[in-house]
Amino acid sequence: MLWVDKYRPKTLDKMIVHQEIAMNLKKLVSEHDCPHLLFYGPPGAGKKTLIMALLKQMFGPGAEKVKIENKIWKVDVSFCSHVSSFYWLIFQIGLAGTRTLDLELTTLSSTHHVELNPSDAGFQDRYIVQEIIKEMAKSRPIDTKGKKGFKVLVLNEVDKLSREAQHSLRRTMEKYSASCRLILCCNSSSKVTEAVRSRCLNVRVNAPTEEQIIRVLEFIGKKEGLSLPTGLGSRIAAQSNRSLRRAILSFETCRVQQYPFTENQAVPPMDWEQYVSEIAIDIVQEQSPKRLFLVRGKLYELLVNCIPPEIVLKKLLSELLKKLDSELKHEVCHWAAYYEHRMRMGQKAIFHIEAFVAKFMSIYKQFLIETFG
Amino acid sequence: MGKRPVVVISSSDDEDGGCSVSAGCNSSRSKSERSVGRKKCRRLKKASVLNRQLCKQGHKEEEANFDALLKDFYEDFHGHSMAPGERGRRQKLGSPWADSRELWVDKYRPRSLEELAVHKKKIEEVKMWLEEWVRTSKEQFCGHVLVITGQAGVGKSATINVIASQLGAEVCEWKTPTPTLWQEYIHNANSGTHYISKLEEFETFVERVRKYSLLRSISKDGSKQSVILLIDDLPLTNGRVAHGRLTKCLHFLAQSTQIPTVILVTEYGKADCGDNTNYSEELVLSLERAGASKVAFNPLTFNSVKKTLSRICREEQCNVPSEWIDHIAKASGGDIRHAITCLQYFCLRPDLMLPLNLSALSITQSRGKSEDLSEDLNEMSKLIVNKDENLDYEFPLPFGRDETLTLFHALGKFLHNKRETVDCSALGRDLFTLKDRYKRFPLKMDSPERVVLQMHGQARPIADFLHENVLDFLSDEAIEDAWIVASYLSDADRLLSTSLHGQAWSPIVAGKHDPENVTQLVSASVAVRGVLFGNSHPSPSRWHAIRSPKLWQVEKLRRHNKKLMLLEKFEAYSIFSSYGMSVMATEYKPTLKRLGFRSLEDLQVCRKMTECSKMEVGVYDLLDQDELEGGASVESEEDEIEDW
Amino acid sequence: MAPLLQSSQPWVEKYRPKQVKDVAHQEEVVRVLTNTLETSNCPHMLFYGPPGTGKTTTALAIAHQLFGPELYKSRVLELNASDDRGINVVRTKIKNFAAVAVGSSNRSVGYPCPPFKIIILDEADSMTEDAQNALRRTMETYSKVTRFFFICNYISRIIEPLASRCAKFRFKPLSEDIMSSRILHICREEGLNLDPEALSTLSSISQGDLRRAITYLQGAARLVGSSIFAKDLINVSGVIPAAVVQALFNACKSGQFELANKEVNNIIAEGYPVSQMLSQLFDVIVVAEEISDEQKARICKRLAEADKCLVDGADEYLQLLDVASHTMQALCNRI
């Protein structure tokens, strides 16, 4: 088992970072007054850990007995409803009809909760959310006193849900509020509609500071019986970009690569990051259509391995920024933002990343000519 | 044949070297071929010819004639009828000149090898094959099939018929009736006619051929004459299942037929990019696997089409200006049948056709000089209107096949970006001057939009192809150009995806000019013009292969990897953690790789994982075909809506 | 194991005024409507104004006061934009509801019970224009027996023919005093401790939206208990502390790209929502005295663009970085 999973705090009491949030959550549970929750914060901040611990706090160890189900949901779609979730459009369409869609989705569930990534269902996400919640509401667990309890639905990556899906989520939240609670989890709350946000208790989970990360690393080191030099710890923390998960993963990698640790041991970056920085070097070395073609091939490589294009673009930007004078930085980051936006709007990421690279090359070449003649 | 030797000589006289239009034609032809290849009317199965003419000429034929045609049409309608090779000849002998209503396509059907306009070598190949197998005794013969591929109207069946009659063999045909069938059926539905799908009929037919070799018994002399089974126009198949049935059926046929069988596979323009192309390729492949030999016919050359046309003109005593013949031949794109039809049509009402076409011509000519955007936009809208009119009246444009250009040909045009070398401002027609960096010389081609329409391209594949290939065509220094091009392609992608999001309302706003259609046109235009504009320093013309977009593979692979990862996500890792895809891809996988599956436990899990993934690969390959990617499935969804 | 679920009513509902006259701070509206209630003659109505100013409350209160609790169900239909059912459901819903004749027999005692039904359409400005046009016909068809109450934020998004059929009521944003008194009232009822700093923070972060203020208050009370401080409210509301915004602004003023980049990274890592950041940055920039109007214009333009991009789902980091870089360039007059 990876250290990330091995040393994940299982209860709210054992949290090393975010103790304050943990205490608040504990209070919520103890008062039996649990609203819908929305956890938001950057990746690797500990949202998931908090949620898991919260579930355990709510339901006891039963929440840990989970099973994986790959289920095909049969969903009746009245297909005008995909036109718009707003009922208003209905006035203008006379047609009605339904058909059945088969949607496949994998869920993690215990008797008390179900966890899923609705965005895996692509643009049929909305139906999934509705259907699963309906299903869950039907099978409510009965507690020892014979009272009907409630179930918790954990939805990951809500910010990746389509607007329609979020909208229908809002309605489902109201409709089934007696039988289930939603715990939503996302990276950026600005991509969650106001309607959903305002119906949840928002919990911001900030990324741990570097000191906190170092503390966690030391804690793990002690448990594993390793001696962690302070220099290495702080370098891992600095390279982690304030993502705790990332820090622990690279810590473990370091352990495999070399032990006992040395003070100035190299902290290996992820292989794809390495690859991106190679691309950056390629770009700076030569600016020509031929080189652009080469870069495109490398970008394909990244995309094939399912590295999300926006992450590629961001990493590429930060690598390129390192190599620039501050004058150019403004322009370059503007174009990065510009093409990233287009990438979202478009379909084929490579078109836009490539346009960014081409623009960078063009700017850089111009700059070189002006500076060195 | 013997009757008209003069024509051969005279028509080969006006042969010039300009066969640049029809791509992929053999331009080097042997001398002997030259004197022979004068004519390429094709002998067609009655049904298909008639049907064609029904659409094209129905308007102007008199009622009576129309009815007659219809009757004929119905006679041939059901199943496989025998069409002995002599039939055409007999009709021919009854004074051909008297009946002006006869279709020229039938009238000038080739009756000897010399009259065929098909490339000599191909004829030779086919002939050898047929000779070999027709003469072989029946006992030795088992499962030999010849597949001839080629686009419509290149003389596939004509070749077979001519050769067969030379060998004295009888040709038995299977004919697929026409696509109007379904409406026919709807019309007759009340009268109790049952609809049998053509595929089913075909299957029973093949079954019979295999089991009983029935054709032998029907042959006229009862004994010695050899028989060639000709299967033209395979039944249309829609969807994978039907296609699978057809393939299987043909496969059996190829393996077990007892008489020489020739299967004609008509290729449709690649530009359409539809599934049909894939299907027909697959089909041919599977036949080859079953032991069939294959001959591919290329489109006919400009010259041979022209020769045939001028000969017909002479015989019909029509005074058609030679530039018209050129034009028709050029527009036919190697489809002689179409060319002749056009010619006949043209000769009927030359007065009516003339002004229309002249204007079309003049537009084509003037375009060379004008690069004015607004004019091109007008042009484009005109084209759109034209296209729509086509749909409305089923009235073809005077001449010209619809797919004159293959995708690759058009791409070549765009990518090579040939321009005039004279500055148009020198002609004094510019009212305002552009900054130097916006200035481009006029294009040496039709307006890009027209080219796109001609190749029936859809914006998405065009953009993908351009994206894949354009960098090869930029000169090495021009990174600025590369950016401009990339930026326009990015715009095009953006536009295309709005059309995709636009599906939310497009079902409501159905119609000819629905936003979908317009966006398609516009984004194709943006992509193409972006490439043309951006590439201001084309690299010196050298030969480049046009690659098919690697992006497509990449996307497929990516989808596949994603699925695998989804599986792994739930199987390989400790159960308490389920992460998003991006975390999996960016953090877990690399770490695991680096850790090298350190612990035994991980290793086992991973073994299991790879095993199941191996199995899955097989499954997914199938799935991938059926399961369309996001965009495509949206389209299918939309179709359903329109059906409602 | 499964904990008991206390079905806690949202305070917004709990403390919603039940009578038109209790609606806070909308004197003119209240005066006209009270008049209406007395004569029990009621036109179609259109309530518009910023969120949380009492539009829905007023509509519901009128309905209640007209029909009383017994008849309410059969006479009033509430629809809001989150009701999406199948295709014809809503259309038929309105039709069915409107078509059933109003019985005059069973009157509740003590309520005027006028002989018509009320359909309340909340969030009417999210209707498409076509839908509004369609609605127009429905209104005419059933005008004898139904009254429509439209509720919207932006009257400009209601088509003219529809708006002209209605009596229009504009709701003003609530002043700080009114808000504070309401909040304090709730605090007393719920037994909360709210220090003055927290109170002023609450009214400033809720920007005149009483519903939002109450929601924040309830959230904070749930999370931290009975004594609530300003920071808890800020935490719950998702508003970014002024210090953070100021830090970014200062970094931009410094003209050093790296500094700004660091600030941006920090904001992302802290998990602050960037759209919120943009609007708070906007507030800071608009009032900043040391910036010229032209600079402000430049910055605001980029802010607007970034906001749109975020709505389209663009990456938060890149957008904020671009905004910061633009701001920096504008401030240093480099554009």
Side-chain angles (χ1 to χ4, degrees):
Chain A
M1 204 191 244
L2 293 173
W3 289 354
V4 194
D5 297 323
K6 196 168 163 188
Y7 295 105
R8 182 192 296 279
K10 299 283 190 295
T11 61
L12 290 173
D13 298 314
K14 286 189 188 152
M15 301 297 283
I16 300 176
V17 292
H18 303 309
Q19 277 158 343
E20 199 181 332
I21 298 175
M23 287 308 112
N24 286 338
L25 289 176
K26 208 173 157 192
K27 193 178 137 291
L28 272 186
V29 175
S30 67
E31 285 177 2
H32 303 309
D33 174 26
C34 188
H36 301 302
L37 290 169
L38 170 67
F39 287 83
Y40 65 96
K47 302 178 292 293
K48 222 34 189 300
T49 312
L50 279 168
I51 292 173
M52 292 303 172
L54 175 66
L55 286 173
K56 195 172 176 195
Q57 186 80 33
M58 281 175 162
F59 303 113
E64 282 177 356
K65 290 185 196 114
V66 292
K67 61 175 191 289
I68 298 156
E69 261 181 306
N70 200 347
K71 206 170 157 185
I72 292 174
W73 302 84
K74 292 226 178 283
V75 184
D76 282 331
V77 182
S78 80
F79 58 74
C80 272
S81 69
H82 93 274
V83 169
S84 162
S85 62
F86 285 24
Y87 70 92
W88 309 112
L89 258 176
I90 288 155
F91 290 110
Q92 67 183 62
I93 310 168
L95 300 160
T98 57
R99 71 204 151 93
T100 311
L101 279 180
D102 281 351
L103 300 176
E104 193 184 352
L105 199 71
T106 316
T107 57
L108 262 177
S109 58
S110 73
T111 42
H112 302 287
H113 84 283
V114 178
E115 178 180 343
L116 65 154
N117 282 341
S119 52
D120 288 348
F123 70 127
Q124 252 100 24
D125 47 9
R126 170 164 40 124
Y127 307 123
I128 280 286
V129 173
Q130 280 179 351
E131 209 50 36
I132 291 176
I133 294 181
K134 242 188 256 167
E135 183 104 338
M136 264 177 37
K138 268 186 232 154
S139 62
R140 287 165 68 178
I142 295 171
D143 70 357
T144 42
K145 288 166 216 152
K147 272 195 171 174
K148 277 195 172 178
F150 66 98
K151 270 193 153 187
V152 171
L153 176 64
V154 181
L155 293 180
N156 291 318
E157 298 179 322
V158 217
D159 48 352
K160 287 195 187 147
L161 282 179
S162 63
R163 295 242 137 207
E164 285 80 16
Q166 293 193 22
H167 206 84
S168 85
L169 192 61
R170 157 191 173 170
R171 192 169 67 84
T172 338
M173 269 158 97
E174 286 167 351
K175 204 168 162 190
Y176 296 101
S177 66
S179 54
C180 74
R181 285 287 172 272
L182 291 176
I183 297 184
L184 311 175
C185 179
C186 67
N187 283 342
S188 62
S189 75
S190 39
K191 285 178 195 164
V192 181
T193 57
E194 173 69 35
V196 171
R197 259 188 293 160
S198 69
R199 281 165 177 75
C200 297
L201 187 58
N202 295 3
V203 181
R204 179 170 61 87
V205 184
N206 60 331
T209 59
E210 288 186 13
E211 293 77 50
Q212 283 171 323
I213 290 177
I214 294 172
R215 219 155 10 107
V216 173
L217 292 181
E218 278 165 353
F219 168 79
I220 292 175
K222 212 163 71 199
K223 286 266 180 184
E224 285 281 319
L226 309 170
S227 68
L228 174 67
T230 43
L232 181 62
S234 56
R235 260 183 314 117
I236 292 178
Q239 240 189 53
S240 69
N241 214 359
R242 290 182 67 181
S243 159
L244 188 54
R245 171 176 49 228
R246 185 59 199 285
I248 299 174
L249 284 173
S250 23
F251 183 39
E252 195 173 0
T253 319
C254 286
R255 162 74 178 76
V256 172
Q257 284 200 329
Q258 185 184 0
Y259 188 79
F261 294 124
T262 53
E263 189 70 33
N264 46 9
Q265 180 178 350
V267 181
M270 296 289 169
D271 52 0
W272 65 271
E273 292 180 325
Q274 188 70 37
Y275 205 63
V276 173
S277 53
E278 279 166 26
I279 294 178
I281 293 169
D282 283 340
I283 294 173
V284 175
Q285 270 174 356
E286 186 191 322
Q287 297 82 36
S288 71
K290 222 181 265 160
R291 184 51 66 100
L292 187 59
F293 186 71
L294 185 101
V295 168
R296 179 201 289 172
K298 292 192 171 182
L299 288 173
Y300 277 151
E301 195 71 21
L302 288 169
L303 294 181
V304 163
N305 284 308
C306 298
I307 313 284
E310 63 276 7
I311 292 186
V312 173
L313 185 65
K314 270 202 293 195
K315 184 70 190 165
L316 189 59
L317 174 70
S318 77
E319 289 294 327
L320 290 173
L321 284 180
K322 282 184 203 160
K323 302 176 195 302
L324 286 181
D325 271 9
S326 75
E327 284 309 299
L328 288 186
K329 281 178 181 171
H330 294 292
E331 201 176 349
V332 170
C333 82
H334 168 73
W335 287 108
Y338 178 82
Y339 282 113
E340 198 274 338
H341 174 228
R342 312 211 112 203
M343 193 161 77
R344 293 285 171 160
M345 304 301 290
Q347 278 176 297
K348 311 234 165 170
I350 188 70
F351 279 47
H352 310 281
I353 300 185
E354 192 177 310
F356 168 69
V357 173
K359 184 66 189 172
F360 178 86
M361 283 180 169
S362 163
I363 294 171
Y364 193 70
K365 191 175 184 189
Q366 191 68 32
F367 167 76
L368 288 183
I369 290 171
E370 276 166 16
T371 329
F372 305 108
Chain B
M1 324 98 167
K3 275 185 202 166
R4 304 182 286 269
V6 198
V7 184
V8 180
I9 299 153
S10 66
S11 62
S12 58
D13 279 348
D14 50 31
E15 173 168 321
D16 53 25
C19 45
S20 61
V21 175
S22 41
C25 272
N26 273 325
S27 54
S28 66
R29 305 200 289 160
S30 68
K31 230 179 189 173
S32 63
E33 152 101 7
R34 241 166 233 242
S35 58
V36 178
R38 69 157 197 226
K39 160 162 176 184
K40 44 147 18 180
C41 288
R42 37 204 335 267
R43 190 229 170 268
L44 282 162
K45 286 176 320 343
K46 193 96 176 172
S48 69
V49 176
L50 291 183
N51 179 44
R52 236 183 132 79
Q53 297 307 327
L54 271 180
C55 305
K56 303 234 156 107
Q57 296 199 313
H59 315 43
K60 50 185 194 351
E61 301 280 352
E62 282 121 308
E63 285 282 293
N65 193 15
F66 185 84
D67 286 346
L69 293 180
L70 215 60
K71 216 185 276 166
D72 260 351
F73 170 70
Y74 282 130
E75 268 171 23
D76 285 352
F77 196 75
H78 288 288
H80 44 286
S81 63
M82 310 289 293
E86 273 81 3
R87 191 161 137 198
R89 190 183 301 256
R90 254 183 276 120
Q91 282 178 351
K92 196 74 210 171
L93 293 175
S95 66
W97 314 116
D99 186 8
S100 65
R101 281 189 205 133
E102 195 183 354
L103 295 174
W104 292 359
V105 179
D106 283 336
K107 199 161 144 190
Y108 297 100
R109 184 183 304 139
R111 270 164 297 276
S112 70
L113 282 182
E114 289 73 33
E115 277 182 283
L116 275 171
V118 184
H119 194 284
K120 185 83 180 167
K121 249 197 249 161
K122 301 282 179 190
I123 298 177
E124 208 49 45
E125 262 178 69
V126 177
K127 198 173 154 196
M128 272 172 57
W129 190 90
L130 282 175
E131 272 172 357
E132 188 180 341
W133 294 115
V134 167
R135 297 208 171 126
T136 330
S137 67
K138 194 189 169 187
E139 288 72 42
Q140 292 164 333
F141 185 85
C142 184
H144 281 283
V145 171
L146 175 71
V147 184
I148 301 182
T149 64
Q151 67 174 57
V154 292
K156 296 188 293 291
S157 39
T159 312
I160 297 298
N161 279 312
V162 169
I163 296 178
S165 71
Q166 235 189 21
L167 296 177
E170 190 179 338
V171 177
C172 293
E173 289 188 31
W174 155 264
K175 288 175 214 165
T176 326
T178 54
T180 47
L181 187 73
W182 179 248
Q183 273 151 11
E184 235 7 90
Y185 162 68
I186 300 262
H187 188 249
N188 295 332
N190 297 333
S191 58
T193 342
H194 285 288
Y195 175 73
I196 305 166
S197 91
K198 282 306 115 189
L199 185 56
E200 278 164 34
E201 244 173 77
F202 184 70
E203 273 173 340
T204 42
F205 165 72
V206 167
E207 194 64 14
R208 253 187 289 166
V209 171
R210 283 175 53 209
K211 281 196 183 136
Y212 314 116
S213 111
L214 78 169
L215 295 155
R216 179 74 54 164
S217 62
I218 315 171
S219 78
K220 266 172 225 142
D221 312 49
S223 54
K224 286 290 163 245
Q225 199 180 10
S226 16
V227 174
I228 298 168
L229 176 63
L230 176 63
I231 297 175
D232 197 347
D233 288 345
L234 294 168
L236 265 176
T237 52
N238 259 325
R240 182 154 273 276
V241 179
H243 179 69
R245 269 169 69 192
L246 179 62
T247 315
K248 210 168 133 196
C249 172
L250 283 173
H251 193 88
F252 280 137
L253 178 71
Q255 280 179 334
S256 57
T257 179
Q258 293 173 14
I259 40 173
T261 305
V262 180
I263 301 175
L264 307 184
V265 179
T266 307
E267 283 172 348
Y268 301 97
K270 289 250 169 41
D272 282 341
C273 231
D275 295 343
N276 278 336
T277 357
N278 291 335
Y279 284 170
S280 70
E281 273 165 21
E282 246 172 65
L283 202 97
V284 171
L285 271 179
S286 105
L287 279 170
E288 277 184 290
R289 249 178 276 132
S293 14
K294 178 189 157 187
V295 176
F297 277 29
N298 290 325
L300 299 174
T301 56
F302 169 65
N303 284 317
S304 46
V305 176
K306 206 173 78 178
K307 261 188 293 180
T308 312
L309 291 181
S310 16
R311 181 176 58 79
I312 294 175
C313 283
R314 218 151 300 149
E315 289 185 15
E316 289 286 338
Q317 285 141 11
C318 287
N319 211 0
V320 181
S322 70
E323 60 263 32
W324 285 114
I325 290 181
D326 279 4
H327 200 70
I328 293 173
K330 210 181 262 180
S332 74
D335 180 350
I336 186 95
R337 178 169 38 193
H338 187 70
I340 296 175
T341 314
C342 286
L343 185 70
Q344 185 175 19
Y345 181 46
F346 177 73
C347 290
L348 279 176
R349 304 286 303 273
D351 50 324
L352 190 141
M353 301 310 301
L354 215 55
L356 184 71
N357 287 312
L358 273 178
S359 69
L361 261 190
S362 65
I363 286 172
T364 329
Q365 280 159 0
S366 71
R367 178 144 330 90
K369 286 163 207 151
S370 65
E371 242 291 63
D372 194 356
L373 192 64
S374 68
E375 193 181 322
D376 280 328
L377 280 179
N378 278 338
E379 186 62 32
M380 202 166 107
S381 60
K382 233 187 278 171
L383 281 171
I384 296 169
V385 172
N386 274 343
K387 204 174 135 211
D388 288 343
E389 277 169 0
N390 277 351
L391 291 176
D392 283 346
Y393 310 117
E394 299 207 329
F395 189 77
L397 280 174
F399 26 73
R401 275 163 77 91
D402 292 337
E403 314 148 27
T404 339
L405 286 169
T406 63
L407 177 63
F408 288 94
H409 192 172
L411 285 173
K413 279 187 175 208
F414 297 145
L415 292 168
H416 279 291
N417 196 10
K418 293 232 171 72
R419 288 172 187 273
E420 310 283 347
T421 41
V422 202
D423 193 345
C424 55
S425 59
L427 303 173
R429 56 177 290 281
D430 267 9
L431 294 179
F432 57 95
T433 43
L434 289 166
K435 280 187 188 163
D436 273 343
R437 64 194 176 106
Y438 297 126
K439 239 179 229 168
R440 301 285 185 273
F441 291 125
L443 288 171
K444 266 190 189 167
M445 62 161 131
D446 277 359
S447 83
E449 288 76 18
R450 177 177 276 251
V451 176
V452 169
L453 277 184
Q454 273 174 339
M455 69 172 174
H456 278 220
Q458 281 192 311
R460 175 49 76 188
I462 293 174
D464 287 351
F465 268 101
L466 288 174
H467 171 253
E468 177 66 33
N469 292 296
V470 71
L471 289 182
D472 289 348
F473 292 84
L474 300 175
S475 82
D476 285 345
E477 293 304 301
I479 189 63
E480 176 79 18
D481 288 359
W483 169 63
I484 294 174
V485 169
S487 177
Y488 275 112
L489 287 176
S490 147
D491 288 347
D493 179 56
R494 171 81 180 70
L495 283 168
L496 276 171
S497 69
T498 39
S499 78
L500 213 145
H501 295 310
Q503 56 105 13
W505 53 80
S506 63
I508 305 161
V509 200
K512 298 257 160 76
H513 294 282
D514 62 66
E516 188 74 7
N517 215 338
V518 175
T519 349
Q520 279 280 331
L521 287 171
V522 168
S523 34
S525 167
V526 166
V528 169
R529 280 189 182 271
V531 166
L532 289 171
F533 174 78
N535 187 5
S536 57
H537 310 88
S539 65
S541 191
R542 54 186 130 113
W543 187 80
H544 295 285
I546 288 185
R547 293 179 302 265
S548 93
K550 197 182 164 198
L551 181 58
W552 295 351
Q553 292 169 2
V554 168
E555 280 175 345
K556 203 172 157 189
L557 253 176
R558 182 185 161 94
R559 251 177 293 143
H560 177 226
N561 280 345
K562 210 166 185 172
K563 273 178 188 153
L564 280 188
M565 217 183 270
L566 266 176
L567 284 177
E568 287 172 31
K569 183 163 101 179
F570 289 102
E571 280 169 20
Y573 300 110
S574 85
I575 257 162
F576 230 56
S577 55
S578 71
Y579 298 101
M581 291 298 293
S582 69
V583 174
M584 285 282 301
T586 55
E587 298 188 1
Y588 270 72
K589 288 209 89 173
T591 314
L592 277 180
K593 220 190 279 171
R594 196 152 263 156
L595 294 180
F597 306 130
R598 172 189 37 126
S599 64
L600 195 65
E601 181 196 335
D602 279 345
L603 197 67
Q604 277 169 345
V605 172
C606 289
R607 274 225 192 97
K608 210 178 87 198
M609 200 169 82
T610 41
E611 270 166 28
C612 83
S613 70
K614 256 180 225 152
M615 274 162 41
E616 296 295 336
V617 172
V619 179
Y620 280 126
D621 277 353
L622 284 178
L623 277 180
D624 269 5
Q625 307 276 350
D626 289 351
E627 225 174 46
L628 300 153
E629 62 180 295
S633 63
V634 169
E635 277 168 21
S636 70
E637 202 174 11
E638 215 174 71
D639 287 345
E640 282 176 52
I641 290 164
E642 278 164 4
D643 285 347
W644 284 83
Chain C
M1 296 219 276
L4 284 173
L5 181 65
Q6 207 179 58
S7 56
S8 61
Q9 199 185 10
W11 292 354
V12 181
E13 294 301 325
K14 199 169 165 187
Y15 296 99
R16 198 189 275 287
K18 301 286 180 295
Q19 304 249 310
V20 173
K21 64 177 165 41
D22 294 339
V23 173
H25 196 57
Q26 313 290 354
E27 293 81 14
E28 305 92 67
V29 178
V30 170
R31 189 156 38 77
V32 177
L33 287 178
T34 327
N35 198 19
T36 309
L37 279 176
E38 278 158 13
T39 60
S40 73
N41 183 16
C42 168
H44 297 302
M45 287 198 241
L46 172 61
F47 299 144
Y48 65 99
T53 49
K55 301 180 296 295
T56 312
T57 306
T58 313
L60 292 178
I62 296 176
H64 273 288
Q65 279 181 280
L66 282 176
F67 299 110
E70 285 148 41
L71 273 181
Y72 183 82
K73 272 239 163 78
S74 63
R75 291 292 187 86
V76 181
L77 178 68
E78 282 176 70
L79 289 173
N80 62 40
S82 58
D83 286 300
D84 64 331
R85 317 273 148 100
I87 258 310
N88 279 323
V89 179
V90 174
R91 201 217 293 245
T92 47
K93 220 170 167 182
I94 291 193
K95 260 193 190 150
N96 290 344
F97 179 77
V100 177
V102 182
S104 55
S105 54
N106 49 350
R107 292 198 153 193
S108 311
V109 189
Y111 293 99
C113 291
F116 51 74
K117 299 183 168 192
I118 291 179
I119 295 174
I120 301 175
L121 285 170
D122 212 338
E123 294 165 59
D125 43 3
S126 62
M127 278 196 282
T128 62
E129 232 171 72
D130 293 332
Q132 294 189 31
N133 270 317
L135 200 56
R136 185 173 141 191
R137 205 163 313 128
T138 319
M139 275 173 83
E140 276 161 9
T141 320
Y142 300 108
S143 64
K144 285 225 176 82
V145 283
T146 52
R147 296 291 179 271
F148 281 83
F149 289 6
F150 295 100
I151 300 174
C152 65
N153 291 340
Y154 304 99
I155 192 173
S156 53
R157 291 198 200 148
I158 301 290
I159 58 166
E160 190 48 42
L162 214 58
S164 72
R165 284 172 168 72
C166 303
K168 283 172 253 180
F169 296 97
R170 182 175 169 275
F171 284 67
K172 301 175 291 190
L174 301 180
S175 73
E176 213 158 297
D177 301 342
I178 305 277
M179 197 116 114
S180 306
S181 71
R182 276 275 161 183
I183 297 285
L184 285 176
H185 167 72
I186 293 172
C187 287
R188 267 199 307 281
E189 295 282 315
E190 294 288 332
L192 299 178
N193 269 329
L194 208 61
D195 60 24
E197 190 207 343
L199 187 61
S200 70
T201 315
L202 185 56
S203 52
S204 78
I205 58 177
S206 52
Q207 292 170 328
D209 182 342
L210 189 56
R211 178 178 35 194
R212 218 193 290 178
I214 298 175
T215 315
Y216 291 159
L217 189 66
Q218 189 178 18
R222 268 176 166 169
L223 207 54
V224 300
S226 57
S227 36
I228 296 168
F229 300 101
K231 81 168 169 37
D232 302 321
L233 287 169
I234 286 178
N235 237 333
V236 166
S237 66
V239 170
I240 301 167
V244 177
V245 184
Q246 200 58 44
L248 179 65
F249 187 55
N250 289 341
C252 291
K253 272 199 285 198
S254 76
Q256 291 172 25
F257 185 85
E258 280 317 310
L259 211 59
N261 195 1
K262 212 178 120 221
E263 272 313 318
V264 170
N265 267 319
N266 183 44
I267 288 164
I268 299 293
E270 286 295 321
Y272 294 119
V274 170
S275 53
Q276 178 68 31
M277 185 71 209
L278 293 182
S279 76
Q280 284 185 258
L281 191 63
F282 171 76
D283 292 341
V284 170
I285 282 165
V286 164
V287 296
E289 280 165 5
E290 69 272 25
I291 311 179
S292 76
D293 285 353
E294 197 194 342
Q295 286 169 326
K296 281 181 186 171
R298 280 206 193 110
I299 297 168
C300 291
K301 179 164 168 280
R302 183 53 214 157
L303 279 173
E305 284 167 8
D307 193 52
K308 158 73 176 136
C309 291
L310 284 179
V311 170
D312 290 340
D315 186 79
E316 295 195 312
Y317 166 76
L318 291 174
Q319 291 300 328
L320 189 58
L321 184 62
D322 190 25
V323 165
S325 129
H326 256 83
T327 313
M328 187 184 299
Q329 283 172 293
L331 292 179
C332 304
N333 275 324
R334 273 200 234 119
I335 300 180

